Amino acid sequence: MQNYYQKEIETASPEQIRAWQDERLVKTVHHVWDNVEFYRKRMEEAGVTPNDIQGVKDLHKLPFITKDDLRECYPYGLLATDLNNCVRIHSTSGTTGKRVVAFYTQNDIDLWDDCCARAIVAAGGTEEDVVQVCYGYGLFTGGAGLDGGSHKMGALTLPMSSGNTDRQLMFMTDLGATILCCTPSYASYLAECVVERGLKDQIKLKSGIFGAEAWTEEMRHDIEDKLGIKAFDIYGLTEISGPGVAFECSEQTGMHINEDHFIAEIINPVTGEVLPDGEKGELVFTSITKEAFPLLRYRTRDIAVLTRKKCSCGRTHVKMSKPMGRSDDMLIVKGVNVFPSQIEMVLLNNGLTSNYQIIVDRKGHTDSIEIRVEMSPDFFTDKLSELTAKEKDIVSDLKSVLGIYAVVRIVEPKSIERSEGKAIRVIDRRNLYQN
Amino acid sequence: MTIKQVSVFAENRSGGILDVIQALGSAQVDIRALSVADTQGFGILRLIVDNVDRAKAVLTENGTIFSITDVVGVKVPDCPGGLAQVLTLMADHEINVEYLYAFVSVSGSSAYVVLRVQDNDEAIRILTEGGIELVTEDEIQAL
């Protein structure tokens, strides 16, 4: 039996969904035109007025917005309502200097909670469930999103936040948690602990909702086996709201995008051309129900495929694949966004060159990041103490810029592999993306 | 009166130092003294050679990272307590010795030791006043 949180919406006809999208898109375009100077300017530059946008068919006329735009507009540049109407702020993880902050009105929060509630119900959640949320609470959207969704659909919420595995396992067993929400790597770690400590027959988990980082089918099966649950994927990003932009259903073959709130497009990341359903490209979202922080055609940099095949769960909203990679060079390490350019800046500031390589690996369940950089004449000294002190400075600069610890290895000149004369920047040994 | 030391960066891997030594050898550069300081990841090879210019040329050609540092070469009486005499002078004048190492082999009544200090001139003045003989570049070449 299928359960839905909002059946009429989740199983609405494609025509109905399109009608909602047409109406809400037009409204949102007028809303930003009237309230956000940035959008007005961008649209004028593109020669578009709100009257040119009559529905989804005209969406392609609007200019894209990127993460750089969001950084430039920090903090209030994209706010589309009076700050007094806002009740919450969230922020993205680990970026250089200016972070991206997103604003929410109470209505924005309510609709976001609905999206997460749909995800929990799709994972088999009911009012009788105990939902253990071990995403971080705070500026990160993970904790707040699933917490809100769990409240909304009426389950008993265990607001654990991240870390403290002993306490997680104690409450999981003592309070009989039935649905686990966290990052897949943490789920995998918890699963390992459950097996090691022989707790499997003491836990009551039936399903898990795991997102905020890439994970493989292999990892899914491993977690499912070890915990005896069904593991569901969830997708979202702070810029668009947070987790719950899309979620997996019982079919486990992709994530339904909440199309009554978000319009998804797939574009060619190089040309910006909109691609038909079924083609692989960069995922672009337009939020059409947000009051405080609506984004028109936001480029996620995630590479994915959209499919509209009929789903056995009865939901009619379009499905997106797991992200298959990035159209920029961003890495997600330990759940934190890492750009090679940030690393390069630290190295150059410390007297090294841009001949470096980032090696990301996952040992057990923990991501590690190592930066190999070639020694430069400017950096070199014959004093070992000075060299090790300089090396430590780099490690601490990286920690403050990236927010995570990185191992630094200084290597001999010309020892980093080159491709067409340029050092190969990133080696990701985690094999996170399946194609 | 200082002598020139060649300091070379080497990664901590098998053959790391060999590359440098081979390059110097094939250029007929003779090594008079050497020491290695290392961490987990890398090492610094410090060399006193008979021909610094030739060493510079071959290392540059080899793409090696190196620097030339002025260090103090002292002649230490080759008897028990000989080195202590030199170090006492340094300690008494609060001169911090960053590192030191001995020459590979020197016959005769003196052993040669390389001292790396912050202020060469000050160290040289103190050593000379303390009756310690210094090693000259000419002597190194003549070894």
Side-chain angles (χ1 to χ4, degrees):
Chain A
M1 222 224 32
Q2 283 294 334
N3 280 319
Y4 310 96
Y5 175 64
Q6 290 167 312
K7 187 171 183 211
E8 302 73 36
I9 298 170
E10 293 176 68
T11 61
S13 68
E15 297 71 32
Q16 176 61 67
I17 294 172
R18 178 50 79 99
W20 283 326
Q21 289 187 332
D22 285 340
E23 182 208 323
R24 291 169 187 177
L25 173 65
V26 170
K27 206 175 136 194
T28 301
V29 169
H30 277 95
H31 179 53
V32 297
W33 175 273
D34 292 343
N35 294 291
V36 185
E37 199 195 327
F38 174 88
Y39 275 116
R40 212 160 42 234
K41 263 170 112 181
R42 273 294 168 88
M43 285 171 64
E44 277 167 359
E45 279 163 22
V48 191
T49 66
N51 289 335
D52 294 326
I53 311 299
Q54 297 296 320
V56 178
K57 66 172 172 37
D58 299 319
L59 184 61
H60 67 97
K61 294 176 185 166
L62 292 167
F64 293 114
I65 178 165
T66 66
K67 192 149 192 156
D68 285 340
D69 294 328
L70 266 54
R71 288 208 187 100
E72 244 166 66
C73 293
Y74 172 91
Y76 302 119
L78 286 166
L79 187 60
T81 185
D82 195 297
L83 199 55
N84 289 337
N85 298 328
C86 296
V87 298
R88 180 100 61 80
I89 288 172
H90 281 288
S91 170
T92 55
S93 60
T95 49
T96 32
K98 287 175 184 171
R99 286 172 162 238
V100 171
V101 289
F103 300 86
Y104 304 73
T105 63
Q106 186 54 52
N107 190 55
D108 292 336
I109 300 265
D110 286 342
L111 298 182
W112 177 23
D113 287 349
D114 282 344
C115 291
C116 289
R118 289 179 198 173
I120 297 171
V121 173
T126 68
E127 284 179 5
E128 281 151 34
D129 279 296
V130 179
V131 179
Q132 181 164 356
V133 182
C134 20
Y135 284 114
Y137 280 62
L139 281 172
F140 179 49
T141 50
L146 272 305
D147 186 287
S150 173
H151 276 86
K152 203 82 187 265
M153 46 76 65
L156 176 57
T157 312
L158 256 174
M160 300 296 297
S161 196
S162 52
N164 199 338
T165 302
D166 287 339
R167 194 177 59 192
Q168 301 280 4
L169 291 171
M170 185 180 83
F171 280 174
M172 185 186 288
T173 49
D174 293 356
L175 302 176
T178 52
I179 297 177
L180 180 65
C181 304
C182 58
T183 59
S185 53
Y186 193 56
S188 187
Y189 178 71
L190 284 173
E192 202 103 301
C193 293
V194 164
V195 171
E196 271 170 22
R197 301 181 195 187
L199 296 173
K200 195 168 171 186
D201 49 4
Q202 292 176 51
I203 60 170
K204 296 198 176 119
L205 288 179
K206 64 177 187 187
S207 61
I209 300 170
F210 308 127
E213 63 188 19
W215 51 311
T216 59
E217 278 308 307
E218 194 189 346
M219 215 165 152
R220 187 207 302 264
H221 293 139
D222 182 56
I223 297 169
E224 288 188 335
D225 280 354
K226 288 193 171 124
L227 291 176
I229 63 170
K230 282 275 244 180
F232 299 93
D233 204 353
I234 187 167
Y235 176 88
L237 55 174
T238 308
E239 297 88 324
I240 297 299
S241 62
V245 171
F247 61 88
E248 230 172 20
C249 62
S250 53
E251 208 181 81
Q252 294 182 313
T253 54
M255 296 173 272
H256 290 285
I257 293 167
N258 285 309
E259 286 190 284
D260 52 325
H261 298 301
F262 314 105
I263 303 173
E265 296 170 276
I266 292 285
I267 62 159
N268 175 325
V270 179
T271 63
E273 175 205 356
V274 179
L275 302 175
D277 288 343
E279 278 196 38
K280 192 161 114 177
E282 183 181 332
L283 198 51
V284 172
F285 280 111
T286 299
S287 47
I288 49 174
T289 49
K290 296 250 292 215
E291 294 173 342
F293 201 71
L295 295 186
L296 299 181
R297 304 196 86 199
Y298 179 65
R299 293 186 61 163
T300 64
R301 301 291 173 185
D302 281 327
I303 301 291
V305 174
L306 297 181
T307 46
R308 292 191 181 274
K309 261 187 241 147
K310 198 165 184 283
C311 186
S312 63
C313 79
R315 287 178 184 80
T316 47
H317 293 227
V318 70
K319 278 203 280 199
M320 61 174 274
S321 66
K322 265 181 194 299
M324 298 161 164
R326 297 277 306 172
S327 70
D328 59 10
D329 51 5
M330 188 183 89
L331 293 159
I332 302 180
V333 183
K334 296 181 185 171
V336 168
N337 299 348
V338 173
F339 288 92
S341 56
Q342 298 173 282
I343 291 170
E344 180 161 333
M345 191 190 70
V346 169
L347 298 176
L348 294 177
N349 285 346
N350 279 283
L352 286 163
T353 66
S354 56
N355 292 324
Y356 66 93
Q357 186 167 60
I358 301 163
I359 300 169
V360 188
D361 210 342
R362 180 171 283 173
K363 291 186 183 89
H365 304 286
T366 313
D367 288 344
S368 64
I369 180 165
E370 177 183 293
I371 291 136
R372 300 178 62 206
V373 55
E374 291 180 2
M375 177 58 98
S376 73
D378 286 346
F379 191 83
F380 182 64
T381 144
D382 66 305
K383 292 182 189 169
L384 197 63
S385 55
E386 229 172 85
L387 272 187
T388 46
K390 282 161 91 170
E391 204 179 32
K392 270 191 193 137
D393 286 346
I394 299 176
V395 172
S396 94
D397 286 1
L398 285 169
K399 176 91 192 348
S400 68
V401 167
L402 305 178
I404 53 170
Y405 172 75
V407 175
V408 172
R409 258 190 68 202
I410 300 176
V411 298
E412 283 166 20
K414 307 267 178 301
S415 65
I416 289 173
E417 305 152 64
R418 305 286 206 273
S419 166
E420 287 166 10
K422 281 176 74 184
I424 297 167
R425 282 276 167 272
V426 178
I427 295 184
D428 195 335
R429 298 199 176 123
R430 298 175 297 179
N431 291 324
L432 293 178
Y433 298 114
Q434 297 167 318
N435 291 305
Chain B
M1 186 175 49
T2 54
I3 53 175
K4 303 253 180 252
Q5 170 188 277
V6 183
S7 315
V8 178
F9 174 77
E11 232 179 286
N12 230 350
R13 58 174 171 85
S14 55
I17 286 174
L18 179 66
D19 293 346
V20 174
I21 300 295
Q22 264 177 345
L24 291 172
S26 61
Q28 303 298 314
V29 174
D30 201 2
I31 297 165
R32 301 296 194 219
L34 96 173
S35 95
V36 178
D38 64 346
T39 67
Q40 254 189 336
F42 59 83
I44 302 167
L45 178 62
R46 298 164 183 143
L47 303 162
I48 303 293
V49 297
D50 64 338
N51 191 329
V52 175
D53 291 336
R54 206 184 298 156
K56 269 161 82 169
V58 69
L59 292 175
T60 306
E61 194 189 323
N62 201 41
T64 306
I65 298 277
F66 69 96
S67 66
I68 304 294
T69 319
D70 287 326
V71 293
V72 180
V74 291
K75 289 180 190 168
V76 177
D78 197 3
C79 62
L83 182 58
Q85 203 188 327
V86 172
L87 293 182
T88 306
L89 274 173
M90 296 289 97
D92 286 350
H93 292 84
E94 290 182 357
I95 290 186
N96 179 40
V97 179
E98 201 82 42
Y99 56 81
L100 61 83
Y101 57 97
F103 274 54
V104 177
S105 87
V106 176
S107 55
S109 58
S110 302
Y112 289 1
V113 171
V114 173
L115 294 184
R116 171 73 156 107
V117 294
Q118 203 57 48
D119 186 342
N120 282 332
D121 293 342
E122 176 73 354
I124 289 167
R125 188 183 61 79
I126 291 159
L127 289 165
T128 315
E129 281 171 15
I132 304 290
E133 247 191 285
L134 301 179
V135 183
T136 64
E137 288 280 356
D138 290 344
E139 283 170 302
I140 289 165
Q141 277 171 30
L143 278 176

